[in-house]
Amino acid sequence: MTPQLRIALFSPDKNIADLMELRLRSKGHQVVTLTHLTDLLGFIYSDPPDLLIVDLTAPDPEIQTVIRDLKGEGHFSVIPIIGLIQESMEELFDWAAYPLDDFLLVPVRYPELFNRVDLSLQRIQRVFDHNPLTKLPGNTSIQKAIEKTLGKPMAVCYIDVNHFKPYNDTFGFARGDEVLRMLARIMSNAVKESGEGGFSGHVGGDDFVFIVPFDRAEAVCETIIRNFNIIVSDLFVEQEKADGYYVAKDRRGETQHVPLLGIAIAVVPTMNPKLRHYGMISAVAAELKKYAKQSAVSRYVIDRRKE
């Protein structure tokens, strides 16, 4: 059984969009319909959907650019894209120019649409181990990415959110999930803006990993911490920010002063010849992270040991 999905539907043709949205909603899916290309990109970047359906019946070079950009971006490449095309286009359609995951002919046969939705998601889930909350690559991809860095002038950086569990317990999972989504976007954007050769992944829970060339690591850490602190300032009232804590009850009903959210980043250079295995990187990172989390504010720690 396919879970209820969040589907973004783009079509300049309002008749197609309205009818398809109605039918998808009848299956329990959440559907956001967009008729302007600029709205589509903004929506995906701010709140990535589980699936994207794009109307390609009217040729538009800008749509082609949007699809290629999404599939070329690690954070968004895991989102399945189904294209709608005319039957007359099928034989000569340039599949290389439009890196779709599947397609449907217009007029749409809805039983076929529902099957294609199911199959697209199953196929992507087999190929990618992405995290369902943040859409970032998961542990299998992270391990492969780290193993590629061994012996090279790169930095594997582990992020952990300080005091995340009491925040989740106090304010609820929905707000906790939003913090994780925001951190994922902040991290991915910082890695992307730092230049090519980077990687962003989500280990699970409040643990993330990014990989960048070593000479960019400090700048990326500073950007992530600066932007995370801006986000965090919106999560608490002025008095809490002035105090540096909020008041909450623990599981025994006792009042506690809980520090505000922060992040700890462990930076492990991978050119050290003694780090010959993925497990060694993880062990060093765990040690550094424990040290970084002792700080009352967000902080990064770099392993500068030679031995």
Side-chain angles (χ1 to χ4, degrees):
M1 179 179 176
T2 302
Q4 293 182 355
L5 303 174
R6 296 174 57 259
I7 299 174
L9 168 61
F10 168 74
S11 176
D13 187 324
K14 197 170 183 310
N15 292 328
I16 290 177
D18 287 348
L19 183 55
M20 188 173 291
E21 177 178 335
L22 185 65
R23 297 300 296 267
L24 288 168
R25 285 185 181 278
S26 74
K27 292 293 183 181
H29 300 307
Q30 297 177 36
V31 183
V32 175
T33 298
L34 303 154
T35 55
H36 298 287
L37 211 50
T38 51
D39 296 335
L40 173 65
L41 271 183
F43 174 76
I44 291 176
Y45 285 149
S46 63
D47 192 12
D50 299 313
L51 172 71
L52 173 61
I53 299 175
V54 182
D55 183 352
L56 301 173
T57 55
D60 184 341
E62 292 187 21
I63 296 177
Q64 181 187 100
T65 300
V66 167
I67 294 173
R68 291 175 67 91
D69 286 350
L70 289 175
K71 285 300 181 184
E73 167 57 55
H75 192 178
F76 304 107
S77 63
V78 295
I79 300 173
I81 302 178
I82 297 176
L84 306 180
I85 65 173
Q86 300 282 1
E87 185 173 2
S88 59
M89 302 164 64
E90 183 177 3
E91 189 172 346
L92 299 177
F93 194 79
D94 187 354
W95 302 106
Y98 292 86
L100 303 171
D101 295 285
D102 207 340
F103 73 98
L104 274 171
L105 298 179
V106 175
V108 174
R109 292 178 58 251
Y110 286 95
E112 185 180 8
L113 169 64
F114 302 142
N115 288 333
R116 295 296 177 90
V117 168
D118 291 352
L119 291 172
S120 289
L121 288 163
Q122 290 173 23
R123 187 163 53 246
I124 291 297
Q125 286 169 354
R126 283 196 299 271
V127 175
F128 296 98
D129 62 331
H130 68 284
N131 184 283
L133 177 67
T134 61
K135 306 295 186 292
L136 288 173
N139 288 317
T140 301
S141 300
I142 290 170
Q143 181 171 343
K144 289 179 181 175
I146 290 176
E147 288 172 346
K148 288 181 181 176
T149 69
L150 296 175
K152 298 177 182 175
M154 302 290 287
V156 176
C157 310
Y158 284 75
I159 303 180
D160 186 283
V161 182
N162 301 334
H163 316 296
F164 181 71
K165 186 176 185 308
Y167 181 85
N168 225 14
D169 292 341
T170 303
F171 296 102
F173 287 106
R175 284 183 63 174
D177 285 352
E178 184 55 27
V179 170
L180 299 180
R181 280 195 289 263
M182 289 189 297
L183 177 55
R185 288 199 292 273
I186 288 170
M187 179 185 70
S188 298
N189 289 339
V191 170
K192 181 180 178 183
E193 290 166 2
S194 76
E196 295 182 357
F199 170 87
S200 297
H202 188 174
V203 177
D206 60 328
D207 291 310
F208 295 82
V209 168
F210 67 90
I211 301 172
V212 291
F214 180 70
D215 60 359
R216 297 187 215 149
E218 282 196 77
V220 174
C221 288
E222 289 167 0
T223 299
I224 293 171
I225 288 175
R226 182 172 60 252
N227 291 336
F228 186 78
N229 288 341
I230 292 172
I231 295 295
V232 166
S233 70
D234 292 333
L235 301 177
F236 299 98
V237 300
E238 293 303 321
Q239 188 60 52
E240 292 169 337
K241 286 187 280 187
D243 293 338
Y245 64 83
Y246 59 92
V247 178
K249 300 277 189 183
D250 64 16
R251 291 180 177 176
R252 293 174 296 184
E254 296 176 352
T255 300
Q256 286 191 327
H257 290 175
V258 182
L260 307 186
L261 294 172
I263 54 174
I265 309 178
V267 181
V268 184
T270 55
M271 53 279 208
N272 185 341
K274 291 185 177 298
L275 299 177
R276 301 183 300 274
H277 187 270
Y278 164 76
M280 293 179 175
I281 302 284
S282 296
V284 172
E287 182 184 353
L288 294 178
K289 205 165 56 175
K290 188 183 297 183
Y291 181 65
K293 287 175 79 68
Q294 293 175 0
S295 172
V297 297
S298 296
R299 182 185 184 189
Y300 65 91
V301 176
I302 302 175
D303 182 21
R304 299 189 186 278
R305 294 170 294 188
K306 302 298 182 185
E307 297 294 334

